[in-house]
Amino acid sequence: MNDRLLRAARRQPTDTTPVWLMRQAGRYLPEYRAIRGNIAFLDLCKNPDLAAEVTVQPVTRLGVDAAIIFSDILIPVEAMGITLELGDKGPHFPNPVRSAADIDKLGVPDPVEGTGFVAEAIRRTRKALNDSVPVIGFAGAPFTLAAYMVEGGGSKSYILIKRLMFEQPELAHRLFGKLTDTLIPYLKMQVEAGASIVQIFDSWGGELSPWDYERFCIPYLKRMVSELKATGVPVIVFGVGMSTHLQLLKSTGADVVGLDWTLPADEGRKVLGPDVAIQGNLDPLHLFLPREELDGRVKDILRRAGPVGHIFNLGHGILPPTDPDAAKFLVEAVHRHGVALRQGTLGG
């Protein structure tokens, strides 16, 4: 196996910098669109053969150092007993969670019974790749999932989830606790199926102040990270707009902290210290730069991050209009300049 990603996550030397891209299996790839044109998104997530096929597509086309299983962070939420609609306009919960009764109705599902198709997709992905690269398992963080469930979908202000937290904190903690009880076995199932590393997405964590994040999110993330690390796999935590939360993310015990594009990698390292690996952090829209400028951005990030304990990634997910050739150029540039960085020959 190409184990660069796993070695970098554990802050071990690598021959070059590993790279994968958040949302690397998706709408920017024509081969994905060809499959997606014949099936609804949620049905695609639940079809192990097709989910494995689209998971493998970017590994084949781009040469990335890992496959991240094709799924959605809201899959385990649906298994808790809430109706989920996933379309091109994003997720929608027609019956959002707003009361103690709504929270009490939610179950803590058996992961195999409720979401076993994810595990099967991981097994089929490993077989299709012949274990040539690691498979990344993932889940959303309790706050981010709760935000969708309470708001009924995406939000600009997050007023409903925040009011729940601030006006009825005991209910918010009950919801976060039930989500955590669901997510831990869900991620363990992915590890048992063959995921070699897992990432926890707290996509909307940056909407909270550090004080609120520490109070409402960190206890649950610590539980998740601790239980997952006990399985022997590295754990990545990531959120958008969380440059002021890095010390809190480090306190979870995660092996890797993902950085968005708003903080230079070397500044992130200063905050996090030498005992945590970092992941990131190219602005996804930099993939629209001329190739020479994109190449320069890659060099700058590699220099700032250093040769050990760095996984190259975007600062958030790749965007649908992205040219796949730009993504391939990026991967090749990271690998080429990563070698030069280790040899001390990385030019300007």
Side-chain angles (χ1 to χ4, degrees), residues 17-160:
T17 301
V19 53
W20 69 280
L21 309 176
M22 285 182 276
R23 295 186 190 147
Q24 66 187 19
R27 287 179 289 171
Y28 74 105
L29 291 178
E31 54 266 45
Y32 169 83
R33 294 196 298 271
I35 292 174
R36 178 69 174 82
N38 301 315
I39 188 170
F41 179 83
L42 201 52
D43 292 336
L44 177 54
C45 291
K46 295 178 179 180
N47 185 312
D49 283 324
L50 292 181
E53 183 176 347
V54 297
T55 298
V56 170
Q57 285 174 350
V59 180
T60 303
R61 179 185 272 258
L62 306 181
V64 287
D65 295 297
I68 182 165
I69 195 64
F70 182 82
S71 188
D72 190 90
I73 60 172
L74 295 171
I75 290 292
V77 169
E78 184 189 41
M80 296 174 74
I82 183 171
T83 301
L84 168 64
E85 298 172 357
L86 278 175
D88 292 333
K89 295 184 179 180
H92 174 61
F93 291 98
N95 303 112
V97 175
R98 300 279 170 80
S99 68
D102 294 334
I103 295 171
D104 290 341
K105 288 178 186 176
L106 297 172
V108 176
D110 177 281
V112 176
E113 290 181 7
T115 55
F117 49 85
V118 176
E120 186 58 31
I122 290 172
R123 286 190 284 267
R124 296 185 191 192
T125 296
R126 288 185 58 195
K127 183 177 180 180
L129 290 171
N130 197 26
D131 282 337
S132 56
V133 297
V135 176
I136 304 170
F138 72 90
F143 169 74
T144 288
L145 300 185
Y148 279 116
M149 296 164 74
V150 173
E151 298 286 341
S155 175
K156 292 183 178 180
S157 65
Y158 297 90
I159 186 171
L160 297 175

Side-chain angles (χ1 to χ4, degrees), residues 200-266:
I200 301 170
F201 287 85
D202 210 354
S203 305
W204 309 131
E207 296 295 326
L208 297 178
S209 71
W211 186 86
D212 292 321
Y213 197 80
E214 183 172 19
R215 179 185 178 195
F216 287 100
C217 302
I218 289 299
Y220 305 102
L221 289 175
K222 283 183 175 179
R223 274 184 57 199
M224 291 177 68
V225 171
S226 175
E227 294 240 15
L228 287 161
K229 287 182 69 172
T231 69
V233 302
V235 180
I236 307 167
V237 293
F238 168 76
V240 181
M242 299 187 73
S243 296
T244 56
H245 298 48
L246 294 184
Q247 283 283 10
L248 292 172
L249 292 178
K250 178 181 178 179
S251 76
T252 65
D255 301 276
V256 186
V257 173
L259 306 176
D260 69 13
W261 63 92
T262 62
L263 184 73
D266 52 345

